Amino acid sequence: MSVSELYSSPSSVSSVVSALRSAGCVFAEDEADLLISAARDHHELAAMVERRIVGLPLEHVLGWAEFCGVRVAVDPGVFVPRRRSEFLVGRAIALAPPRPVVVDLCCGSGALGAAVLRALGAGELHAADIEPAAVRCARRNVEPVGGRVHQGDLYDPLPPALAGRVDVLIANAPYVPTGEIGLLPPEARDFEPLVALDGGADGLDIQRRVTARAGRWLAPGGSLLIETSERQAPSTVAAFTRHGLEAEVAVCEDLDATVVIGTRPRHGAGADPTRAD
């Protein structure tokens, strides 16, 4: 008997919804529909419901997340792409020249870089992450669109030939202050890697490292886009400016998203964009 047959009656579906709601799932009805659709038999469904009840993110239970209109693979232990990051993707697409060189740092599942290249239809994509689990997952999302994934710390694993050629550099670097990690929802703080969440004392440690070396990799006129919070944006702008990037802040209230965009000048004087202090 199929899962759809097992759970075709309102009372059966209701039991799954009730179990999820009791565990604190706000969108229990929607989650129940997804779990029932994904399970191959009632044993798998029971196991999936149990994993969700103990707090595992729904995306980890399903094995995918919806991002920019498509399903992207998301494995357990990998950062789940947030819908707010679709705003960063949209801005990156708008800034990209034809057939751009795109780099996605702190790529996690690779959802952002893959979405940019998928929308543009052509270009060269490189994604990098320090976490082995993220790299394995990112390859499932990035390689089908023609991109490459590298394992290592920020720029270190990138091919040296990319230096000075990157048109669009995106970085959804961790920006939660260390002292605020405990305030995150349990499904994030307990099941997503700390390295993908913890941005240091003020949340900007990784952003500063990304910004300090961006000028070495950006092409003249190329842009760095970093997701941050509205509260942190002025400090992010200051870091961009200090390293020779022309900075602006973009905000999307609907998605509660803030992105700082820094462009390397095509010519002229100013702070040294290759300085890494």
Side-chain angles (χ1 to χ4, degrees), residues 179-185 189:
E180 297 179 16
I181 295 293
L183 304 178
L184 294 174
R189 68 171 187 262

Side-chain angles (χ1 to χ4, degrees), residues 53-143:
I53 287 174
V54 300
L56 201 70
L58 177 66
E59 294 83 0
H60 288 168
V61 176
L62 294 171
W64 56 267
E66 184 171 333
F67 187 78
C68 289
V70 301
R71 291 183 178 183
V72 297
V74 181
D75 297 331
V78 175
F79 182 79
V80 176
R82 276 40 168 185
R83 185 162 175 259
R84 72 169 66 94
S85 297
E86 294 181 0
F87 180 59
L88 185 153
V89 169
R91 295 307 298 258
I93 293 168
L95 288 168
R99 304 187 64 85
V101 175
V102 179
V103 169
D104 181 0
L105 293 184
C106 306
C107 71
S109 66
L112 277 67
V116 171
L117 199 63
R118 188 181 300 111
L120 294 172
E124 181 179 350
L125 170 63
H126 294 264
D129 202 286
I130 198 170
E131 281 284 300
V135 169
R136 289 192 296 270
C137 183
R139 285 180 175 141
R140 296 167 58 197
N141 296 312
V142 169
E143 290 179 353

Side-chain angles (χ1 to χ4, degrees), residues 138-189:
R139 285 180 175 141
R140 296 167 58 197
N141 296 312
V142 169
E143 290 179 353
V145 299
R148 294 174 56 192
V149 183
H150 313 274
Q151 182 177 335
D153 184 32
L154 300 182
Y155 301 95
D156 291 350
L158 295 179
L162 289 178
R165 295 182 49 235
V166 178
D167 299 299
V168 177
L169 173 56
I170 61 178
N172 189 13
Y175 57 91
V176 180
T178 302
E180 297 179 16
I181 295 293
L183 304 178
L184 294 174
E187 61 184 31
R189 68 171 187 262

Side-chain angles (χ1 to χ4, degrees), residues 12-272:
S12 299
V13 175
S14 177
S15 66
V16 176
V17 173
S18 296
L20 294 172
R21 185 176 291 119
S22 297
C25 299
V26 177
F27 303 104
E29 291 85 357
D30 294 337
E31 293 194 14
D33 288 343
L34 289 169
L35 293 172
I36 291 170
S37 298
R40 290 169 293 188
D41 55 48
H42 68 281
H43 296 295
E44 184 174 42
L45 176 60
M48 293 173 76
V49 172
E50 180 62 27
R51 290 198 295 273
R52 183 63 181 128
I53 287 174
V54 300
L56 201 70
L58 177 66
E59 294 83 0
H60 288 168
V61 176
L62 294 171
W64 56 267
E66 184 171 333
F67 187 78
C68 289
V70 301
R71 291 183 178 183
V72 297
V74 181
D75 297 331
V78 175
F79 182 79
V80 176
R82 276 40 168 185
R83 185 162 175 259
R84 72 169 66 94
S85 297
E86 294 181 0
F87 180 59
L88 185 153
V89 169
R91 295 307 298 258
I93 293 168
L95 288 168
R99 304 187 64 85
V101 175
V102 179
V103 169
D104 181 0
L105 293 184
C106 306
C107 71
S109 66
L112 277 67
V116 171
L117 199 63
R118 188 181 300 111
L120 294 172
E124 181 179 350
L125 170 63
H126 294 264
D129 202 286
I130 198 170
E131 281 284 300
V135 169
R136 289 192 296 270
C137 183
R139 285 180 175 141
R140 296 167 58 197
N141 296 312
V142 169
E143 290 179 353
V145 299
R148 294 174 56 192
V149 183
H150 313 274
Q151 182 177 335
D153 184 32
L154 300 182
Y155 301 95
D156 291 350
L158 295 179
L162 289 178
R165 295 182 49 235
V166 178
D167 299 299
V168 177
L169 173 56
I170 61 178
N172 189 13
Y175 57 91
V176 180
T178 302
E180 297 179 16
I181 295 293
L183 304 178
L184 294 174
E187 61 184 31
R189 68 171 187 262
D190 294 340
F191 295 99
E192 292 184 312
L194 184 62
V195 70
L197 302 171
D198 192 343
D202 64 354
L204 302 178
D205 284 359
I206 309 303
Q207 289 190 12
R208 292 190 187 95
R209 292 181 58 211
V210 170
T211 304
R213 297 174 62 188
R216 298 179 182 274
W217 296 89
L218 288 173
S223 296
L224 166 65
L225 299 92
I226 289 184
E227 183 176 295
T228 191
S229 71
E230 185 176 2
R231 170 171 55 91
Q232 294 164 316
S235 296
T236 304
V237 167
F240 277 37
T241 302
R242 185 164 61 251
H243 291 285
L245 302 178
E246 298 172 348
E248 64 172 304
V249 179
V251 176
C252 176
E253 294 184 0
D254 289 344
L255 294 176
D256 189 27
T258 301
V259 174
V260 178
I261 303 168
T263 302
R264 180 181 174 184
R266 294 185 182 277
H267 53 75
D272 182 0

